[in-house]
């Protein structure tokens, strides 16, 4: 309040001077910037440059933290996560697409301000002799067919109090451009696009969902098992459903099912899915579920993602923000109440990919592993497999199971010319067979030469791929998550990845491929042959991979999903309700010029 706004009798200059308190004497300096995908780390040095005593909190008042950091732009103040890496050394963590409340970092020109025991310190400064580092640290993240961009750049500004200081600035902006206007005016076509185009269909779906939630509402006990990537219940979903029945809980729940492939069905099946989503108390998914981008899920419904893949190498979701297959700022992943993973070590990986908090990622383990570790199921499978394939029984089995190349299910392929059938046949000998199991997205079958069909077999369509691993002695793969379960068997793996440089550049890896692969990496097929001949698979790497990816090696994952997530409810204090997409982000999502291909299909 200014003096002019106060009656003259109440102005007491002496007392005003007494309440003025200088800022805490700390010097905060930005030392370095580093990026990992779309996650920015800002390293700071903090030095106390004079004596200072923090204020005592009022009686009953919760004392503020000793150190806190905020991004400040005018009157806006946003807390920023940080860690203290050493005394006087801090790292600030800025996840660009998922900064706070499941939303991207806001537009703004931000200063970094430290608070010491709740008192504001001068903004972080930067050395003017190192300005080149700011330019080199700037990033541009393109997405939505290059019609949307998120930029993060850095600069400096003179400090308003101390002209010898240069304040560090971080500028973040989300920019969008609209479609070019058509050259010819075609009223019928434009009317059709207006009424039946993708944006309109999404609005209709959202409106129908809202009507159903308000008129019918959520039905207690209803569980929806759903997938838009397969035609029947499989994997984690099937194991949870099976375990509910085994425990006699089926009468407690009203279990519904919805399974279809991308771009299949019409408004009839879509309306049914919308109705089930609107009336279900629990929604269990195991993959990307595109219709969620059109809906604002009712908070009474728990959406639980039982992701189909264990720990692999490929970046998915927001881990590839700004790269090939990048999601937009508003995305179905953000609607998950919970997602599951196999270990504490992987919580940050799934949280980054789905654009949710680590607290929402629950390390239950993957339910389908329950089957894999069941000794009775294993023994019965091996007995049946030997009877069905007597030509394989008793021989060493090499399983060749790579992932696909290409952008999606519609363009998936594998370059079979990389396989030297002649050399592979010679390396195997009479006591070894090779089973080729190609990714189900790959439509062109592998053509095994006639003369080699006594040792080589096409198992692409074998129905039980998980148990097939029990019959496998050596696994040859590349970037597939098949390594997750196979690591539990402590058997050798070989990683044939001749394109890993390009694959990393276009698809991205969570972690360094060479260091993380639990086995020998073969850059050429000659390396594959050498490993098969010499037995040098670097098998010692398997134990560390298993340690990092499994908190528990047991058959209780389905029970934990049921007890912790379906019947129970983890501590949700740190979990944010999924945000309502802004009009701008929604429109840009709807008007994408690219085909609506789930980015998880992009290998």
């Amino acid at each position: 309040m200014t003096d002019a706004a106060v009656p003259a009798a109440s102005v007491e200059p002496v007392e005003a001077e007494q309440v003025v308190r200088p800022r805490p004497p700390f010097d905060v300096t930005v030392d370095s910037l580093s990026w990992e995908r779309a996650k920015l780390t800002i390293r700071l040095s903090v030095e106390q440059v004079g004596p200072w005593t923090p204020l005592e909190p009022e009686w009953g008042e919760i004392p503020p933290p000793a150190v806190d950091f905020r991004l400040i732009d005018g009157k806006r103040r946003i807390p920023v996560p940080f860690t203290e890496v050493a005394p006087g050394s801090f790292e600030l963590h800025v996840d660009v697409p998922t900064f706070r409340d499941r939303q991207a970092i806001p537009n703004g020109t931000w200063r970094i301000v430290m608070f010491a025991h709740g008192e504001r310190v001068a903004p972080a400064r930067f050395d003017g002799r190192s300005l080149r580092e700011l330019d080199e640290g700037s990033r541009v993240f393109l997405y939505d067919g290059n019609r949307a961009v998120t930029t993060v750049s850095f600069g400096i500004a003179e400090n308003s109090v101390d002209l010898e200081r240069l304040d560090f600035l971080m500028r973040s902006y989300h920019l969008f451009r609209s479609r070019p206007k058509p050259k010819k005016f075609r009223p019928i076509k434009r009317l059709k696009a207006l009424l039946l185009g993708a944006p309109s269909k999404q609005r209709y779906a959202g409106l129908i969902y809202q009507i159903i939630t308000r008129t019918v509402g959520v039905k207690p006990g209803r569980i929806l098992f759903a997938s838009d990537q397969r035609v029947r219940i499989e994997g984690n979903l099937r194991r949870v459903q099976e375990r509910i029945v085994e425990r006699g809980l089926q009468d407690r729940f009203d279990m519904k099912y919805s399974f279809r492939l991308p771009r299949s069905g019409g408004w009839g099946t879509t309306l049914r899915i919308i109705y089930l989503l609107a009336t279900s108390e629990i929604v269990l998914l195991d993959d990307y579920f595109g219709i969620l981008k059109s809906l604002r899920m009712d908070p009474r419904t728990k959406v639980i993602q039982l992701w189909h893949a264990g720990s692999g190498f490929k970046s998915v979701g927001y881990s590839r923000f700004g790269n090939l297959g990048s999601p937009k700022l508003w995305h179905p992943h953000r609607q998950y109440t919970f997602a599951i993973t196999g270990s504490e070590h992987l919580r940050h990986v799934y949280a980054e990919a789905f654009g949710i908090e680590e607290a929402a990622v629950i390390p239950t383990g993957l339910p389908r592993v329950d089957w894999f570790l069941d000794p009775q199921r294993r023994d019965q499978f091996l007995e049946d497999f030997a009877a069905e394939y007597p030509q394989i029984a008793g021989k060493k089995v090499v399983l060749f199971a790579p992932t696909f190349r290409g952008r999606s299910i519609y363009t998936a392929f594998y370059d079979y010319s990389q396989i030297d059938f002649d050399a592979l046949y010679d390396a195997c000998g009479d006591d070894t067979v090779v089973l080729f199991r190609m990714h189900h997205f790959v439509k062109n079958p592998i053509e095994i030469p006639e003369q080699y069909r006594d040792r080589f077999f096409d198992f692409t369509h074998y129905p039980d791929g998980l148990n097939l691993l029990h019959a496998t002695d050596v696994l040859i793969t590349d970037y597939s998550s098949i390594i997750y379960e196979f690591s539990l068997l402590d058997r050798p793996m070989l990683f044939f990845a001749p394109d890993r440089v390009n694959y990393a550049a276009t698809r991205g890896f969570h972690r360094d491929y060479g260091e993380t692969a639990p086995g020998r990496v073969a850059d050429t097929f000659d390396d594959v042959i050498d490993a098969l001949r010499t037995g040098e698979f670097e098998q010692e790497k398997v134990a560390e991979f298993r340690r990092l990816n499994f908190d528990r090696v047991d058959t209780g994952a389905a029970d934990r999903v049921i007890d912790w997530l379906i019947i129970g409810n983890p501590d949700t204090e740190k979990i944010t309700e999924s945000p309502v997409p802004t009009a701008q982000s929604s429109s840009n999502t709807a008007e994408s010029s690219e085909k609506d291909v789930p980015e998880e299909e992009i290998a």
Side-chain angles (χ1 to χ4, degrees), residues 163-228:
L163 296 182
E164 294 184 1
R165 293 175 56 91
L166 293 176
D167 290 351
F168 173 82
L169 302 179
M170 180 175 70
R171 303 182 182 93
S172 57
Y173 291 99
H174 306 284
L175 308 172
F176 308 89
R177 63 184 178 92
S178 58
R179 289 174 176 273
K181 293 183 179 180
K183 296 181 179 179
K184 294 183 179 180
F185 179 67
R186 297 175 178 175
I188 297 178
K189 185 176 182 179
R190 293 186 67 175
L191 181 61
K192 182 179 179 181
L194 180 65
L195 297 177
L196 301 176
S200 298
K201 289 180 179 179
Q202 291 183 23
R203 286 194 296 270
Y204 300 154
L207 179 60
I208 293 169
Y209 176 85
Q210 291 179 21
I211 292 173
I212 296 173
T213 55
R214 292 173 182 175
T215 56
V216 180
V218 173
K219 297 188 176 182
R222 173 166 288 182
I223 300 178
L224 172 63
F225 297 83
S227 176
D228 269 354

Side-chain angles (χ1 to χ4, degrees), residues 238-248 558-559 562:
R238 181 179 164 211
R239 174 56 190 153
V240 171
Q241 185 265 355
E242 176 185 87
R243 187 60 183 150
I244 288 174
V245 174
E246 290 173 353
R247 290 175 54 175
D559 282 326
I562 295 169

Side-chain angles (χ1 to χ4, degrees), residues 15-16 46 70 112 128 214 266 272 296 302 359 394 434 528 545 575 599:
E15 290 187 6
V46 177
R70 304 281 176 107
I112 297 173
R214 292 173 182 175
R272 178 178 180 272
R296 169 70 170 120
K302 281 196 288 190
V434 179
V528 173
F545 178 87
I575 299 176
E599 81 281 348

Side-chain angles (χ1 to χ4, degrees), residues 172-423:
S172 57
Y173 291 99
H174 306 284
L175 308 172
F176 308 89
R177 63 184 178 92
S178 58
R179 289 174 176 273
K181 293 183 179 180
K183 296 181 179 179
K184 294 183 179 180
F185 179 67
R186 297 175 178 175
I188 297 178
K189 185 176 182 179
R190 293 186 67 175
L191 181 61
K192 182 179 179 181
L194 180 65
L195 297 177
L196 301 176
S200 298
K201 289 180 179 179
Q202 291 183 23
R203 286 194 296 270
Y204 300 154
L207 179 60
I208 293 169
Y209 176 85
Q210 291 179 21
I211 292 173
I212 296 173
T213 55
R214 292 173 182 175
T215 56
V216 180
V218 173
K219 297 188 176 182
R222 173 166 288 182
I223 300 178
L224 172 63
F225 297 83
S227 176
D228 269 354
Q229 307 298 316
R230 48 190 53 84
V231 295
R232 65 183 65 85
I233 188 169
E234 299 175 7
N236 293 327
L237 294 178
R238 181 179 164 211
R239 174 56 190 153
V240 171
Q241 185 265 355
E242 176 185 87
R243 187 60 183 150
I244 288 174
V245 174
E246 290 173 353
R247 290 175 54 175
L249 299 174
Q250 66 272 24
D251 294 335
R252 181 174 176 175
F253 301 112
D254 175 23
M255 294 188 285
K256 301 294 183 180
Y257 307 90
S258 174
F259 293 90
R260 65 177 185 177
L261 293 175
R263 303 182 191 171
S264 65
W267 267 104
T269 58
T270 300
L271 287 172
R272 178 178 180 272
I273 293 171
I274 294 173
Y275 178 83
L276 291 175
L277 287 170
T279 58
S280 294
E281 185 178 23
I282 307 288
V283 175
L284 298 178
L285 309 173
D286 71 344
D287 212 318
Y288 174 87
F289 203 65
I291 197 171
L292 290 184
K293 69 186 174 186
S294 306
L295 313 179
R296 169 70 170 120
M297 292 300 294
D298 191 297
R300 294 173 293 176
T301 299
K302 281 196 288 190
V303 182
I304 304 172
Q305 175 58 261
L306 310 180
W307 192 249
H308 62 285
S311 175
F313 303 102
K314 298 178 286 188
S315 295
V316 299
Y318 286 100
S319 299
R320 60 179 5 137
F321 185 67
N323 295 312
L324 179 69
S326 170
K328 306 174 184 72
L329 295 181
W330 169 247
H331 192 275
H333 286 330
R334 297 206 194 265
Q335 300 245 44
Y336 305 150
T337 313
F338 302 112
I340 68 167
T341 183
S343 73
E344 286 282 346
H345 173 73
L346 295 174
R347 292 180 75 176
H348 74 282
V349 175
Y350 284 75
E352 177 188 354
F354 296 149
I356 60 180
E357 310 80 12
E358 286 190 32
V361 181
I362 312 300
T364 61
L366 269 61
R368 70 164 186 262
V369 174
D370 294 356
W371 289 328
F372 192 68
L373 295 176
D374 186 330
Q376 292 183 340
R377 284 177 175 268
R378 177 199 62 205
D379 294 344
Q380 185 62 54
F381 168 80
L382 291 175
E383 181 181 337
D384 295 343
F385 186 79
E388 186 177 0
Y389 298 97
Q391 69 274 37
I392 296 176
K395 294 187 177 182
K396 179 180 180 181
V397 175
V398 176
L399 178 63
F400 187 90
T403 191
F404 67 98
R405 305 304 190 271
R407 291 198 60 185
S408 71
I409 188 174
Y410 309 104
T411 60
F413 70 95
Y414 188 81
D415 184 4
Y416 296 120
S417 67
Q418 298 177 117
I419 303 173
D420 188 338
F421 289 102
D422 297 337

Side-chain angles (χ1 to χ4, degrees), residues 70-89:
R70 304 281 176 107
L71 296 182
I72 293 183
D73 180 9
K75 295 183 179 180
R76 293 186 297 164
R77 299 184 178 187
I78 305 177
V80 58
F82 69 92
T83 54
E84 184 174 6
V85 295
S89 181

